[in-house]
Amino acid sequence: MDFYTKAGAVPIGNMRRTHFTSEISSDTVGDKVTLMGWVHILRDKGKLKFLILRDERGMCQIFIHQKRVSEDVFETAEQLKPEFAVSVDGEVVEAKQVAAGAEVVPTSIRILNTSDRLPIDVVEGKVDIDLDTRLNHRILDLRKPTINAIFRVQHALVRFSREYLEKKEFVEIHTPKIVAEATEGGANLFEIKYFDKLAYLAQSPQFYKQLMLLAGFGRVFEIAPVFRAEKHNTRRHINEYTSFDFEMSWISGVEDVMQMEENMLHYAFLKTKENLGHALETLGINLEVPEVPFKRIKYAEAIDLVNAEGKDLSITDDLDPECEQILGEIFPEKFGTDMVFITHYPLELRPAYTMPSLTDEGMTESFDLTYHGMEITTGGQRIHLYDLLVERFKAKGYNIDNFGFYLDPFKYGAPPHGGLGLGIERLTMQLLGIDNIREATLLPRDRDRITP
Ligand code: AMO
């Protein structure tokens, strides 16, 4: 009891929330309610106080009129400060002047916890704070409804993508993040000291998701952190991101993988639009559900398109962010869509495990998905033939002795297969029109940041 009082709070235990703030409306007028949340805004006009209470569903107004509430309630209201955590009992009354058409007249206000003076505002639009300062105080930053809403949309996208794959008999797997070798090439690996050995943080679940198909799972997916020691701090790169990976056996070609992805994203966008109306409205987003099938163009055509805009790229050059942006402008004009698969990348630009193309000499059965001028997915058909796989590993300059754990299982009847990796932060940022990937990352890790 004493430690509650010392903290300026009341003991908890005898209270139960009955309503969310979003339920205070003309429909609930007359109801006795208990709400719990934070003091978002307190407008103090002496005998009249307007408390805007915020919880995870929204906000409502608590109207405190000295003449209409007990002395106790009024005294407690006088102590309130921004971000105090409170419980409010009261009655819903009609209030034409507030948007919800109703407000709560309190019969009791209990302070569950006090709050220090805030280092950044939780009320939006008061002052412009730079991103770095906001990220330093990310926990408070996330309390802002428009920031919080980003991650509710992200959750919906992941949830419904997972739901789609589960309907299609994919099995969710969890593979190690401490690994012995690079999957995507050695350039951006984080080394870790693993007892007396050198190990790495996984860049991708690539090898293990493939191996699980060789282990007989048929179709697998994983949603987990991966680590990239990117040299540069850019608006589209972070050093730890959440990779949404899937991998499927018995495909007849890379087209099967692209179809699975477009249908999954179509479903996830549609369900997010249906279920996340409030969050999308908070963010001012009219979610456009892309039509299926998505447009497909070959890498060679993409190179021609950017060269026609004054670039001078050869087929083995990478499409850098600037080129992606140029394409992001061309695609809607030319094809009427922002979702475009670029296919048939050259062997030079793809990892050793990628299946070479039979139809396009020197190219691969692979793709990227670009969305509003940014790559959000990489995928492809994988090599399931042992000898070819070894040949490609050697051609990329790998010492195959180090890759026995991956290569050897391919000797025993590996099924034809393919799959992809999708960055959920990039998907979120492109869908919501966010400029910097850190905004679409709950707790970003970049070159300069490992806290909070
Ligand atoms: P790739 O390396 O292209 O492919 O990554 C796949 C997707 O992951 C996202 N991404 C990133 N997001 C944020 N910060 C980064 N530093 C970052 N790097 C990549 C992008 C990208 O499209 N194993 C293959 C996938 C596969 O073929 O299954 C892979 O990891 O959205």
Side-chain angles (χ1 to χ4, degrees):
M1 179 79 178
D2 203 24
F3 51 80
Y4 277 106
T5 318
K6 264 195 200 151
V10 298
I12 60 165
N14 59 345
M15 54 194 86
R16 182 147 291 124
R17 170 156 73 182
T18 61
H19 290 69
F20 287 105
T21 55
S22 56
E23 292 170 304
I24 306 308
S25 71
S26 41
D27 293 342
T28 43
V29 167
D31 284 7
K32 302 257 187 296
V33 298
T34 300
L35 303 165
M36 291 185 186
W38 286 277
V39 174
H40 190 61
I41 299 175
L42 185 68
R43 269 197 295 277
D44 198 334
K45 312 225 177 229
K47 289 179 182 167
L48 297 183
K49 299 183 201 306
F50 301 90
L51 160 62
I52 307 298
L53 185 74
R54 187 188 77 247
D55 65 12
E56 49 272 51
R57 294 263 185 98
M59 299 184 206
C60 74
Q61 179 160 285
I62 314 293
F63 177 53
I64 305 155
H65 188 318
Q66 195 170 17
K67 288 197 179 141
R68 284 173 69 185
V69 299
S70 71
E71 229 170 85
D72 238 21
V73 166
F74 197 77
E75 260 171 33
T76 310
E78 300 236 275
Q79 297 167 31
L80 297 180
K81 301 241 164 57
E83 298 307 306
F84 272 31
V86 295
S87 157
V88 177
D89 299 330
E91 185 179 335
V92 184
V93 299
E94 198 178 89
K96 294 231 161 64
Q97 70 285 6
V98 293
E103 63 191 4
V104 173
V105 173
T107 50
S108 156
I109 299 179
R110 283 173 283 199
I111 295 174
L112 305 179
N113 213 344
T114 58
S115 165
D116 281 1
R117 224 185 122 91
L118 297 166
I120 60 166
D121 269 315
V122 171
V123 178
E124 285 163 285
K126 267 183 135 180
V127 259
D128 234 0
I129 322 167
D130 65 277
L131 182 58
D132 213 39
T133 309
R134 282 180 36 216
L135 292 176
N136 288 339
H137 302 287
R138 186 58 158 170
I139 308 308
L140 284 176
D141 186 50
L142 285 162
R143 284 191 186 176
K144 295 176 199 158
T146 57
I147 308 296
N148 207 273
I150 294 170
F151 298 95
R152 292 173 184 272
V153 172
Q154 188 171 77
H155 167 229
L157 291 167
V158 171
R159 170 186 164 198
F160 295 121
S161 297
R162 167 192 271 124
E163 191 171 283
Y164 184 80
L165 293 185
E166 283 171 347
K167 282 181 206 275
K168 298 285 172 189
E169 314 232 336
F170 281 76
V171 176
E172 183 161 15
I173 56 169
H174 308 280
T175 66
K177 303 303 156 213
I178 297 175
V179 299
E181 289 297 340
T183 56
E184 310 301 311
N188 57 9
L189 266 186
F190 281 113
E191 287 183 3
I192 54 167
K193 200 172 154 299
Y194 190 69
F195 304 109
D196 54 354
K197 286 199 182 79
L198 184 63
Y200 306 99
L201 292 177
Q203 291 168 305
S204 155
Q206 185 63 40
F207 289 166
Y208 293 123
K209 64 176 174 163
Q210 287 185 257
L211 289 175
M212 287 310 115
L213 302 186
L214 276 58
F217 283 101
R219 291 175 170 187
V220 297
F221 74 100
E222 178 163 10
I223 307 162
V226 294
F227 306 89
R228 302 280 174 107
E230 307 286 355
K231 283 172 208 74
H232 308 292
N233 251 339
T234 78
R235 71 175 192 95
R236 58 173 61 204
H237 291 98
I238 39 179
N239 297 108
E240 174 178 350
Y241 69 91
T242 303
S243 190
F244 188 116
D245 281 83
F246 74 64
E247 208 65 26
M248 50 200 277
S249 303
W250 315 118
I251 59 169
S252 58
V254 66
E255 183 56 34
D256 291 358
V257 181
M258 290 192 282
Q259 280 177 21
M260 189 62 75
E261 176 167 40
E262 63 195 358
N263 289 324
M264 175 185 90
L265 288 179
H266 181 80
Y267 179 87
F269 276 48
L270 200 67
K271 293 287 256 184
T272 298
K273 194 180 170 88
E274 279 171 20
N275 287 273
L276 268 274
H278 179 69
L280 291 167
E281 199 180 304
T282 302
L283 290 162
I285 297 291
N286 178 20
L287 201 170
E288 273 180 46
V289 180
E291 279 175 31
V292 282
F294 299 167
K295 174 76 187 164
R296 288 132 166 84
I297 67 162
K298 289 188 175 178
Y299 192 68
E301 292 171 61
I303 295 284
D304 288 346
L305 286 175
V306 290
N307 282 347
E309 296 296 311
K311 288 273 165 188
D312 184 23
L313 297 184
S314 79
I315 184 78
T316 50
D317 284 330
D318 242 329
L319 286 174
D320 62 14
E322 195 195 327
C323 293
E324 279 187 10
Q325 209 141 5
I326 294 173
L327 290 174
E329 280 159 32
I330 297 175
F331 288 160
E333 284 167 23
K334 210 171 156 61
F335 307 126
T337 173
D338 287 311
M339 279 281 195
V340 178
F341 282 119
I342 302 176
T343 67
H344 296 86
Y345 280 75
L347 280 163
E348 288 86 343
L349 296 182
R350 288 287 152 151
Y353 53 76
T354 316
M355 185 61 105
S357 176
L358 277 182
T359 53
D360 294 53
E361 179 72 26
M363 304 295 145
T364 55
E365 294 299 311
S366 68
F367 65 89
D368 273 8
L369 179 61
T370 64
Y371 179 33
H372 289 303
M374 190 184 291
E375 170 207 323
I376 59 164
T377 299
T378 293
Q381 183 185 341
R382 324 301 189 183
I383 300 173
H384 60 286
L385 309 170
Y386 177 76
D387 290 342
L388 178 60
L389 194 54
V390 169
E391 185 189 314
R392 291 300 307 151
F393 267 64
K394 285 182 178 163
K396 290 274 182 191
Y398 294 121
N399 176 359
I400 61 158
D401 295 340
N402 297 340
F403 292 89
F405 72 94
Y406 170 67
L407 297 171
D408 288 348
F410 283 83
K411 292 176 183 167
Y412 313 109
H417 65 280
L420 58 78
L422 163 74
I424 69 159
E425 297 83 359
R426 284 202 188 170
L427 173 67
T428 311
M429 80 187 271
Q430 293 308 88
L431 184 141
L432 297 178
I434 290 171
D435 192 51
N436 189 323
I437 193 166
R438 291 160 186 74
E439 294 265 15
T441 310
L442 204 55
L443 298 165
R445 294 291 178 253
D446 64 24
R447 272 201 84 106
D448 306 315
R449 182 177 293 284
I450 48 171
T451 59

